[in-house]
Amino acid sequence: FSGAFACAGGLYLLLLLYLVRANLGPPIGGLCVRTVVSAPGAFTLTGWILRNKAPTRSLKFRRQVQVVVLLGVGYVSACLSFAKVAQNHIWIELGLWILTEIGLAAVAAWIGWVVGLPTGRWYLAAVVTTCAMGTATGLMSPIIRTVKVPVLPVNASFRVCMVSDLHAGPLAGPESIAAVVDQLNNLACIVVVLNGDISEGEVSVRQEVLEPWLSLSARHTIFVLGNHEYYNVNAEGGAAAEATRYVQWMQGHGIMALRNGFIEVNTSGSVLAGGVTEWVSPEQQVNSGRNISADGSARIVIVGMDSIPDTVGALARAPDGVKLVLVHDPAYARDTLAAGGNVVLSGHLHGGQVVPLSSGLRWRVGFIAGLYQVDNGWVYVGEGTLGSWLTRARLGTLSEIAVVDLTGPGPSEGQQFRLCHVSVVVGWVLVAFTPLRGIWQWKKLSRTRLSDPRNDVEVP
């Protein structure tokens, strides 16, 4: 039985490997080869450990553990396989949803084991409930979160609305994007920021999910690149060339794309002379072409970074004023503030997406979601809008549209405790208690084996 299951798992993962090589090429494919090799081995090794270290447990229980291990390894392999597959394939969308439920089931199984849920109906109920919650939360419309950041002079205000991480295409279609646009049009935004990972796949196959952005009523729409705009490795000219095509599509349709460049505005949204959308060289500046006479007193310099930003150079070239920096990955936030930024808007982390990823991201990056005061500057990290990596399912985080009001002196708003902050705590508790639970179970099984009369063998 174990051998048959291992072979089935291997064939399943080999299919994923085929998809990887067909869509991505060797680099990620090589990584998945190791996963494919490890999956049957992990399944078989788990069976051997259970058979030798937990012989008193029922065969049903041992098979449950093996299946969870196989599903977990398969889910990781699928993540690696589908991370950059983003074309118009309905079966990929279906596969991603199936893999999502597998991943949520694995998380639920882990939580159930740590808290000691008995196998059987309660265990099944926990798995089904977790899957339902993750799916339902992911399909909810984005909530509106409003924060206030006091960085402007007295009586001045400036409203920026931010969406990020829609990953539109495989999992969020044009209807979903149009609904987000309708929400944004009711928020009186002066500037709407599309802060990276807006779409998956090449521009040529994503026209229908890009076009709804042209209906935004805000005075300005600004786009910055995220890491996923660079994931089209098989595009003509490579991934960087396709990222440039995203920039060109946006600029060609009236959306300003900032790539280590800036635009200078006043609080009414009028553009001041000298806005540079993309810095190439002093002789090859791409001007915004929207120079309007200024009538406001507060100068706001909006600096948009590339996915891998030129933090020091971009801020050094920007003129004086309150510097609002748009950078997709908050890992660059502290360097951005140190280089002269006043407010940083980021996304990328999805609020952790599912427990316990939130805990690892919070530890690695230092942020997870919400408004943070760092030294004399401010960092806002959004939880993402609609999409997420591979799936719209969310467990312990909520999809959002961020409304960032830059205001005069006064208290800030938006540093309240969030659901994803609870997820961070839950994740660390799970990680901490997993080895403790394992040790306790091992000792319990050891005592059971010692007290089993079948082990009392008379030695002649």
Side-chain angles (χ1 to χ4, degrees):
F1 182 83
S2 297
F5 229 120
C7 289
L11 291 174
Y12 165 70
L13 296 177
L14 282 171
L15 173 62
L16 296 179
L17 175 61
Y18 168 77
L19 296 175
V20 170
R21 295 191 62 85
N23 291 276
L24 302 180
I28 300 299
L31 187 58
C32 285
V33 167
R34 293 191 288 273
T35 309
V36 167
V37 171
S38 66
F43 184 85
T44 306
L45 178 62
T46 304
W48 181 85
I49 292 174
L50 289 169
R51 187 170 60 251
N52 289 275
K53 300 298 181 181
T56 59
R57 300 308 298 261
S58 67
L59 180 64
K60 179 181 177 182
F61 172 80
R62 285 185 276 168
R63 290 291 175 259
Q64 285 177 334
V65 175
Q66 284 183 285
V67 168
V68 168
V69 170
L70 181 62
L71 294 182
V73 176
Y75 182 64
V76 171
S77 177
C79 289
L80 295 172
S81 303
F82 285 114
K84 302 177 185 178
V85 178
Q87 305 302 325
N88 286 324
H89 297 305
I90 299 299
W91 56 271
I92 287 183
E93 299 181 28
L94 178 61
L96 290 175
W97 276 112
I98 293 173
L99 292 168
T100 295
E101 301 306 320
I102 291 173
L104 291 174
V107 171
W110 179 23
I111 295 173
W113 179 77
V114 171
V115 301
L117 276 180
T119 57
R121 67 182 67 178
W122 288 106
Y123 208 85
L124 179 62
V127 170
V128 172
T129 301
T130 303
C131 292
M133 287 175 56
T135 303
T137 305
L139 291 175
M140 288 172 54
S141 298
I143 63 173
I144 308 298
R145 294 193 188 274
T146 302
V147 299
K148 291 185 179 180
V149 185
V151 292
L152 297 182
V154 178
N155 298 326
S157 63
F158 188 79
R159 171 163 286 191
V160 180
C161 298
M162 181 184 76
V163 296
S164 69
D165 303 284
L166 292 103
H167 299 274
L171 298 170
E175 299 82 6
S176 299
I177 306 302
V180 172
V181 170
D182 289 340
Q183 286 181 279
L184 288 166
N185 286 341
N186 292 323
L187 295 175
C189 312
I190 297 176
V191 173
V192 170
V193 175
L194 309 180
N195 203 345
D197 288 3
I198 299 303
S199 179
E200 294 284 351
E202 300 172 20
V203 174
S204 60
V205 298
R206 288 293 175 246
Q207 299 280 347
E208 63 177 0
V209 293
L210 293 174
E211 289 174 354
W213 299 118
L214 306 182
S215 300
L216 285 167
S217 61
R219 186 154 187 178
H220 305 293
T221 303
I222 298 177
F223 167 74
V224 296
L225 292 163
N227 53 304
H228 279 248
E229 278 84 17
Y230 278 94
Y231 276 1
N232 300 288
V233 295
N234 284 337
E236 182 180 356
E242 190 60 30
T244 299
R245 281 190 277 273
Y246 267 99
V247 169
Q248 293 170 342
W249 190 94
M250 295 291 182
Q251 290 177 333
H253 290 81
I255 295 175
M256 184 173 294
L258 296 179
R259 200 174 188 182
N260 294 326
F262 67 88
I263 178 175
E264 187 179 9
V265 301
N266 58 24
T267 52
S268 66
S270 296
V271 178
L272 308 181
V276 177
T277 61
E278 182 172 2
W279 189 273
V280 183
S281 72
E283 296 77 25
Q284 296 176 299
Q285 294 180 17
V286 182
N287 195 274
S288 67
R290 300 181 183 180
N291 297 333
I292 303 172
S293 59
D295 57 3
S297 58
R299 289 171 173 262
I300 301 170
V301 182
I302 303 176
V303 183
M305 298 293 187
D306 203 342
S307 178
I308 300 178
D310 177 15
T311 303
V312 175
L315 286 165
R317 292 188 290 265
D320 292 335
V322 176
K323 293 183 175 64
L324 173 65
V325 186
L326 317 174
V327 57
H328 178 68
D329 188 347
Y332 300 103
R334 286 186 171 82
D335 291 341
T336 300
L337 294 176
N342 301 107
V343 182
V344 178
L345 302 185
S346 295
H348 186 56
L349 302 181
H350 310 158
Q353 191 169 331
V354 294
V355 177
L357 292 180
S358 48
S359 305
L361 290 171
R362 178 67 175 82
W363 173 75
R364 183 179 67 85
V365 181
F367 307 106
I368 189 66
L371 182 64
Y372 301 84
Q373 186 168 14
V374 181
D375 298 327
N376 294 322
W378 298 87
V379 178
Y380 182 80
V381 183
E383 294 187 50
T385 312
L386 290 185
S388 292
W389 186 44
L390 306 176
T391 174
R392 285 180 63 171
R394 290 171 174 264
L395 192 62
T397 179
L398 299 172
S399 173
E400 71 168 38
I401 294 172
V403 179
V404 182
D405 287 327
L406 306 183
T407 64
S412 63
E413 294 181 11
Q415 295 172 285
Q416 68 270 19
F417 207 64
R418 296 188 177 199
L419 179 61
C420 63
H421 298 155
V422 178
S423 300
V424 170
V425 177
V426 171
W428 282 122
V429 170
L430 284 173
V431 170
F433 274 87
T434 294
L436 297 177
R437 170 78 164 135
I439 293 171
W440 176 83
Q441 186 127 2
W442 177 76
K443 288 186 176 180
K444 180 181 177 182
L445 290 173
S446 298
R447 288 194 299 269
T448 303
R449 292 188 68 183
L450 289 173
S451 61
D452 191 339
R454 289 175 298 178
N455 294 328
D456 298 332
V457 179
E458 183 177 346
V459 180

